[in-house]
Amino acid sequence: MTGESDARMAQAGNRITEIDGITVGHHHRIDAEVTVGGGGPGDPPGTGWCSGTTVIRIDGPHPCAAVDVRGGGPGTRETDLLDPANTVTTAHAVVLTGGSAYGLAAADGVMSELERTGVGLPMDAHGHVVPIVPAAVIFDLPVGGWRNRPDAGFGSAAVRSAGREFAVGSVGAGAGARAGALKGGVGTASRRIVQGPAAGILVGALIVANPVGEVIDPDTGLPWGVGQSDLIRLGLQRPTPAEVAALADVGATPTVLNTTIGVVATDAAFAPASLRRVAMSAHDGLAMAIRPVHSPLDGDTIFAVTTGAHPVAPVPAIPPGMNPDTAVLAQVCVVAAEITRDAVIAAIVAAEPVASIPAYRRVMASAVR
């Protein structure tokens, strides 16, 4: 794999793997001579490799999963299974991958690797299991050769590499990602809730930012809505007028076929219906970071998972007949939206240029600490 020297590691203390039982692995291929295909019928196609796969493993005393799909053009696998009305309540891994619908093949490799190690729903007394592996894809086919996309081997390699330490930026499923006219990628963030009924609960997010919408305010040269109090936390500073002008010269969004996908995780022992509410709230974080979002051709999909390690105590103020988790859930949902926004920003800040796709950190050299 080329391009590894540019990879930046997720910062300890601010990554999804702060949650015990959550691990992340990548596998990608980025060729040195990769090119991006043109958008018109007479334009040349892309060449080389620039795509990959990211796998999030979930382990814990009471693992559970849910999903919320908002984009009009999703590419997904096993999302119906995660409906709270259905029987299966867990997932053993979530696959986020490039390759559009073709890339869903990466989940086959993850299933095979988990089966090999005995991970999955136990189906009989002979050790046979069925791993539950939901997946979502981004559209990155024009970046590199159209037929150069992840397969089962990518999924197998990604899940084997899963650990608490992992890279962010132009890696894994973010290898060929674009964010508007800029390079997209993988970003992560996390936060422990320190007060209120949810005190002690961890919430983390990992996002593959590949939106058709813009992630940078053209008037300020900063991510949308970033104020003075956000700058230090996000590792940013105000760009110079020359850098804002350089951003304007980057040009328009090259394609309308894009998608932002991700996982928001917690250790709170929520049931599937509550977890789905967390996934829904995470989409609010996408809306804070991307304009426009959830377009008819985006496939925006957010999975919510929990290890179930942190018990959720009932709050006496919640009236009988209501979800007893409501007070805790409300706090977790607020944080889920905020860290999802931060994970999108982290993806853009960490991304490195690939082929002809410019990166924010290179265009705005003094704005990134």
Side-chain angles (χ1 to χ4, degrees):
M1 291 182 288
T2 60
E4 285 293 335
S5 61
D6 290 333
R8 287 168 168 77
M9 298 305 292
Q11 181 182 9
N14 191 30
R15 59 192 180 186
I16 193 171
T17 53
E18 297 307 308
I19 300 168
D20 288 338
I22 302 294
T23 53
V24 173
H26 301 303
H27 184 74
H28 62 261
R29 179 174 170 183
I30 303 174
D31 288 345
E33 303 301 322
V34 66
T35 65
V36 179
D43 294 334
T47 60
W49 271 93
C50 191
S51 192
T53 299
T54 296
V55 174
I56 299 89
R57 283 289 317 272
I58 307 109
D59 191 17
H62 304 288
C64 190
V67 67
D68 189 50
V69 181
R70 296 287 178 94
T76 58
R77 168 172 168 157
E78 296 280 43
T79 50
D80 281 352
L81 188 69
L82 299 184
D83 186 316
N86 290 332
T87 304
V88 174
T89 62
T90 193
H92 302 97
V94 174
V95 175
L96 308 175
T97 184
S100 191
Y102 297 106
L104 290 171
D108 292 339
V110 177
M111 285 193 70
S112 295
E113 193 66 27
L114 294 180
E115 180 189 32
R116 185 183 66 80
T117 56
V119 175
L121 291 181
M123 304 307 294
D124 58 28
H126 305 290
H128 296 129
V129 298
V130 176
I132 305 301
V133 183
V137 303
I138 67 168
F139 182 81
D140 61 355
L141 295 176
V143 184
W146 187 270
R147 294 183 179 274
N148 294 339
R149 57 228 181 193
D151 58 13
F154 275 64
S156 180
V159 74
R160 286 199 307 268
S161 73
R164 297 194 74 169
E165 306 287 336
F166 64 97
V168 292
S170 303
V171 295
R178 289 184 281 191
L182 296 170
K183 184 70 183 71
V186 173
T188 189
S190 69
R191 189 182 308 167
R192 186 183 296 276
I193 299 172
V194 296
Q195 59 185 8
I201 289 174
L202 269 165
V203 189
L206 183 144
I207 301 294
V208 183
N210 184 63
V212 64
E214 298 293 341
V215 291
I216 303 297
D217 183 343
D219 293 332
T220 67
L222 292 169
W224 295 106
V226 167
Q228 189 64 38
S229 63
D230 296 317
L231 293 176
I232 294 176
R233 179 173 56 84
L234 297 172
L236 299 172
Q237 56 191 20
R238 296 195 181 279
T240 66
E243 287 171 328
V244 176
L247 180 68
D249 290 338
V250 167
T253 301
T255 175
V256 295
L257 297 168
N258 287 64
T259 292
T260 296
I261 55 179
V263 173
V264 60
T266 182
D267 55 1
F270 287 141
S274 293
L275 264 186
R276 188 176 180 209
R277 180 61 58 180
V278 175
M280 293 166 68
S281 296
H283 278 285
D284 294 340
L286 296 188
M288 289 185 236
I290 301 164
R291 300 184 187 181
V293 71
H294 304 144
S295 79
L297 290 173
D298 277 310
D300 300 334
T301 299
I302 299 290
F303 296 95
V305 302
T306 182
T307 62
H310 194 294
V312 177
V315 175
I318 301 300
M322 294 179 64
N323 180 353
D325 298 344
T326 296
V328 175
L329 179 60
Q331 272 195 284
V332 170
C333 286
V334 169
V335 175
E338 292 172 349
I339 63 167
T340 297
R341 169 186 178 252
D342 286 356
V344 173
I345 294 171
I348 307 312
V349 170
E352 292 287 346
V354 171
S356 59
I357 310 171
Y360 179 73
R361 68 168 42 249
R362 300 292 181 90
V363 177
M364 318 293 278
S366 72
V368 180
R369 297 180 189 275

